[in-house]
Amino acid sequence: MKILVVGQGGREHTLVWKLAQSRRVEKIYCAPGNAGIAQIAETLPMPDRFTDLADWAESENIALTVVGPEAPLAEGIVDVFSERGLKAFGPDKRAARLEASKDFAKQLMLENGISTAEHQTFTDVEAAMAYIEDQNRPVFVKANGLAAGKGVIPGRTFKEALQAVKTILVDKAFGDAGDSVVIEEELIGEEASFTVLTDGSHCLPFVSSQDHKMSHDGDTGKNTGGMGAYSPAPVITPELHDYVMQHVVYPTINGMADIGSPFKGVLYVGLMITDTGPKVLEFNCRFGDPEAQVLLPRLKSDLVPLLIACIDGTLADHADVQWHDEAAACVVMASGGYPDPYQTGEIITGLEDADAIEGVSVFHAGTTHDGENIVTAGGRVLGVTAIADGLHNAIQQAYKGVSAIHFNKTHFRNDIGHRALKKS
């Protein structure tokens, strides 16, 4: 079968890498892809209109389209493909509101008894400021729409919170995504990522993982799309896993079905594990990035039939999914300055040396070709991932891979996995 993957980041490189291992797959295309993806799939330009891509998929007899990023999902790419009778993995436009609108997600949680932070949504600056003053406690200010993982600003002081509101609502730092803001209480605890596949009624949980959102060591700096990840995450105990499935995942899926908007695809639950139990920080309607870089390498089973089962509503027939026992760690190598303005076009060397290290795979995120050179083309450039026996060894191997790669003004965190290592 022929497969089309939509996207160009580290998540999509990992998806292409995993899908290419399936005996069912004859050829993989990726639109638009990146320099790493181009080594294992045929890349093509991403058309301006989804209908043009669907025309191409029909003409090429594409059996399965896998949509990686949130933006095309929120814009309805699955709807366009499904109307043609083409199999496309991911939620439709209505279901993708779980990520595209934080206010929608919050309302769904309230209506279905899912624990989350206290919050309110505002479009008016003065009303938001009055709410912050009345709260008199640390808050987080979030752009309501999609902001590439960067639209969350801490407001731990009154001054910080007010500036965050102005940055989003007045300065429009995140464009239309900031037409409204969700202001919520700061939750104290440890974050974890909980990922499931779902066909709209049945859910298949992945192994646990944890992301590192902040740009610098010690969880300092600015919020980013993710600076690294690891799996498993010890904070997700078997008891906590069962609780999240029963009290978060299934109430979410059933709640979406109840409002006539069944959710099919990847449901990613961002959790804060507090002293009073887990609370939902956010929902994503696709694999996390860089969580995908540690989850998919641990998946021993063929990914293709699982994705098709989500589309066809037969996921309950795939209960025998197998996982590698080894741990996985991913260190993101970013352009200097990220998530603030950064330069691109820097030549990358050492990629083959890193790939030659035992257990290491280098997933490209922001790369392109410049003649014979591979150069930087984004904020997050590479996800250096390693799988090994035990998390300590996986982290060690990942950093060996990082040390083999060089480009000007490289930035990466040196403490990926620090929480888990303290528990070992």
Side-chain angles (χ1 to χ4, degrees):
M1 63 188 299
K2 296 179 181 179
I3 292 181
L4 168 65
V5 174
V6 176
Q8 61 186 356
R11 165 185 47 234
E12 288 73 43
H13 189 181
T14 314
L15 280 166
V16 170
W17 172 85
K18 180 61 181 177
L19 293 168
Q21 298 170 18
S22 174
R23 295 180 180 179
R24 302 172 182 232
V25 175
E26 170 191 350
K27 186 170 184 177
I28 301 177
Y29 298 88
C30 187
N34 59 41
I37 292 173
Q39 297 173 5
I40 49 178
E42 182 175 332
T43 59
L44 59 147
M46 183 68 184
D48 292 332
R49 300 183 302 178
F50 295 148
T51 51
D52 292 339
L53 190 62
D55 288 342
W56 178 87
E58 279 187 312
S59 69
E60 291 293 329
N61 296 314
I62 299 298
L64 172 65
T65 296
V66 181
V67 185
E70 62 274 20
L73 292 169
E75 293 164 8
I77 188 172
V78 169
D79 306 67
V80 172
F81 274 63
S82 297
E83 288 167 2
R84 305 282 191 93
L86 296 168
K87 288 187 183 296
F89 174 78
D92 63 19
K93 184 175 183 177
R94 281 176 51 80
R97 287 179 295 168
L98 262 181
E99 179 171 4
S101 171
K102 294 180 179 65
D103 183 61
F104 172 83
K106 288 288 190 180
Q107 293 305 313
L108 185 89
M109 285 186 265
L110 290 177
E111 292 168 3
N112 290 276
I114 300 166
S115 184
T116 187
E118 292 183 16
H119 70 283
Q120 283 197 31
T121 303
F122 299 91
T123 57
D124 180 74
V125 174
E126 290 186 1
M129 293 169 66
Y131 177 77
I132 293 169
E133 188 171 14
D134 183 60
Q135 289 295 295
N136 193 30
R137 59 178 172 176
V139 298
F140 272 80
V141 183
K142 301 182 176 183
N144 184 46
L146 299 177
K150 303 172 191 173
V152 178
I153 304 176
R156 295 191 173 94
T157 67
F158 183 68
K159 183 178 180 180
E160 285 181 352
L162 294 187
Q163 182 56 52
V165 169
K166 292 177 181 178
T167 296
I168 297 173
L169 284 181
V170 179
D171 299 340
K172 290 294 182 183
F174 306 107
D176 293 343
D179 286 347
S180 60
V181 294
V182 175
I183 301 175
E184 63 179 39
E185 64 172 322
E186 180 183 24
L187 297 177
I188 305 300
E190 184 172 348
E191 288 191 46
S193 306
F194 200 97
T195 304
V196 304
L197 294 180
T198 179
D199 61 6
S201 58
H202 184 76
C203 297
L204 175 69
F206 271 55
V207 290
S208 62
S209 64
Q210 188 174 91
D211 187 12
H212 294 67
K213 285 292 187 187
M214 307 312 289
S215 59
H216 287 76
D217 292 357
D219 298 316
T220 60
K222 293 188 175 181
N223 205 58
T224 73
M227 293 300 295
Y230 61 90
S231 174
V235 69
I236 301 291
T237 63
E239 294 78 16
L240 190 56
H241 174 280
D242 293 344
Y243 179 92
V244 173
M245 289 295 293
Q246 181 179 350
H247 295 282
V248 177
V249 172
Y250 273 108
T252 301
I253 296 305
N254 294 338
M256 291 295 288
D258 289 344
I259 62 173
S261 188
F263 188 100
K264 295 185 176 184
V266 176
L267 177 67
Y268 165 116
V269 184
L271 294 169
M272 180 68 79
I273 313 304
T274 73
D275 290 340
T276 58
K279 295 189 176 186
V280 177
L281 293 171
E282 64 177 354
F283 289 122
N284 291 337
C285 60
R286 37 70 188 181
F287 282 110
D289 186 344
E291 289 94 335
Q293 287 90 303
V294 295
L295 293 178
L296 294 175
R298 292 194 64 203
L299 178 62
K300 186 183 294 186
S301 299
D302 191 338
L303 181 61
V304 173
L306 299 180
L307 303 186
I308 293 175
C310 288
I311 300 169
D312 293 344
T314 59
L315 193 59
D317 298 335
H318 296 268
D320 58 343
V321 172
Q322 296 182 325
W323 299 91
H324 292 290
D325 292 331
E326 291 88 348
C330 173
V331 180
V332 169
M333 300 183 71
S335 297
Y338 174 81
D340 290 326
Y342 52 83
Q343 290 186 336
T344 59
E346 304 290 353
I347 296 174
I348 305 170
T349 61
L351 291 168
E352 293 183 358
D353 294 335
D355 274 319
I357 297 172
E358 183 179 1
V360 171
S361 299
V362 180
F363 297 115
H364 293 224
T367 66
T368 190
H369 282 101
D370 182 5
E372 296 183 356
N373 296 316
I374 294 178
V375 300
T376 64
R380 292 185 296 167
V381 178
L382 304 166
V384 183
T385 301
I387 187 166
D389 183 17
L391 188 57
H392 175 80
N393 291 331
I395 294 170
Q396 188 176 54
Q397 290 300 97
Y399 277 109
K400 283 184 181 178
V402 168
S403 67
I405 299 171
H406 304 280
F407 57 89
N408 190 33
K409 297 183 180 178
T410 309
H411 168 63
F412 57 89
R413 283 184 56 164
N414 295 282
D415 63 346
I416 299 303
H418 65 92
R419 292 190 188 89
L421 293 179
K422 290 176 182 176
K423 297 177 186 292
S424 61

